[in-house]
C-alpha cells in the first residue's frame, strides 16, 4: 500500500520566503499600531510603531503610505470582525441571534477600547457597514417575531444600545473592562420586559438614517 502524502504535500508548494516575511511584518505592524495608538492616541508616530513592531520604518511605509492609511486598515479589520459576528448571529435559529450579536459586538468594542476614538473618526460606510446594519435590522425583526423582545422595541432602540455599549467600553475599558457585560444584561432585561417600553417615543427612521453614515 502506498503511503499517504504528508500534510505539507497536500497543502501544495510553500509560499516564497519573501511573501511569508511580508505577511508576518504586516501583522507585527498592526499589533504594534494597536498598542501604540492605545497608549499615545493620535500623537502616535510611525517611527514608534515601527520600533514596537521590530521592523524598519521603510517596511511600515511600504505597506502604509501614512498613519491615516494604517488607521483606515484597522477600521476595515474591525468592521470585518463585526461582520463575522453578524453572520454567525444570523445563522442562529429563532430570536436568539440578536443577543449573540450584541455580546460579540461588546467583546469586539472592549478589544479595541483603547483606540476606539480614532476608529470612530473614520467613515464607517461601505458594503461591509451596510451589511452589518441590515443584519441588525433582520436580527431585531426575528427577535420581535420570536417574542424575545418587547413588541415596542425598535431598531433605533437596539442601535442606541449599541452606541451606549461602545461608549461605555471606551470609558471604562482600562479600569473596569467587564462593565459592558453588566450594562448589556440590564438593558436586555429591560428590552424583554412586557408592558409599555417608555413614554418617550423611539427615534424615527429618518432620525436614525441621519445618524448613520450616508452611502
Amino acid at each position: 500500500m502506498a503511503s499517504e502524502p504528508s500534510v505539507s504535500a497536500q497543502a501544495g508548494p510553500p509560499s516564497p520566503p519573501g511573501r511569508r516575511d511580508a505577511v508576518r511584518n504586516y501583522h507585527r505592524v498592526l499589533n504594534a499600531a494597536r498598542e501604540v495608538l492605545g497608549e499615545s492616541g493620535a500623537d502616535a508616530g510611525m517611527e514608534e510603531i515601527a520600533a514596537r513592531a521590530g521592523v524598519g520604518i521603510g517596511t511600515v511605509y511600504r505597506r502604509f503610505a501614512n498613519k491615516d492609511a494604517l488607521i483606515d486598515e484597522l477600521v476595515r479589520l474591525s468592521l470585518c470582525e463585526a461582520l463575522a459576528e453578524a453572520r454567525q448571529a444570523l445563522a442562529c435559529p429563532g430570536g436568539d441571534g440578536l443577543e449573540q450579536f450584541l455580546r460579540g459586538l461588546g467583546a469586539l468594542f472592549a478589544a479595541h477600547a483603547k483606540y476606539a476614538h480614532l476608529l470612530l473618526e473614520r467613515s464607517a460606510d461601505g458594503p461591509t457597514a451596510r451589511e452589518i446594519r441590515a443584519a441588525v435590522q433582520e436580527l431585531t425583526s426575528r427577535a420581535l417575531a420570536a417574542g424575545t423582545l418587547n413588541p415596542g422595541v425598535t431598531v433605533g432602540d437596539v442601535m442606541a444600545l449599541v452606541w451606549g455599549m461602545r461608549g461605555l467600553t471606551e470609558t471604562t475599558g482600562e479600569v473596569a473592562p467587564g462593565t459592558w457585560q453588566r450594562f448589556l444584561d440590564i438593558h436586555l432585561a429591560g428590552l424583554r420586559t412586557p408592558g409599555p417600553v417608555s413614554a418617550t417615543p423611539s427615534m424615527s427612521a429618518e432620525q436614525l438614517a441621519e445618524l448613520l453614515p450616508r452611502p
Side-chain angles (χ1 to χ4, degrees), residues 130-173:
R130 288 194 290 272
E131 186 175 345
I132 292 170
R133 292 199 292 272
V136 172
Q137 292 179 326
E138 175 63 21
L139 291 167
T140 302
S141 297
R142 290 184 189 180
L144 288 167
T148 57
L149 285 182
N150 183 295
V153 172
T154 68
V155 174
D157 296 323
V158 174
M159 287 305 304
L161 171 55
V162 169
W163 291 326
M165 187 165 57
R166 184 178 67 189
L168 183 65
T169 55
E170 186 178 353
T171 301
T172 65

Side-chain angles (χ1 to χ4, degrees), residues 169-181:
T169 55
E170 186 178 353
T171 301
T172 65
E174 292 191 58
V175 177
T179 302
W180 70 268
Q181 298 181 61

Side-chain angles (χ1 to χ4, degrees), residues 75-96:
V75 172
R76 186 189 70 80
L77 292 173
S78 66
L79 281 173
C80 288
E81 290 179 77
L83 179 58
E85 293 288 347
R87 288 173 173 172
Q88 288 182 14
L90 287 169
C92 289
D96 295 331

Side-chain angles (χ1 to χ4, degrees), residues 3 15 28 47-48 50 57 67-68 71 86 88 102 106 116 161 174 180 198 201 206 210:
S3 61
S15 300
R28 282 181 176 174
E47 293 80 4
E48 186 180 1
I57 188 63
K67 187 166 60 179
D68 283 341
I71 295 175
Q88 288 182 14
L102 291 173
L161 171 55
E174 292 191 58
W180 70 268
S198 173
E206 291 76 16
E210 185 72 19

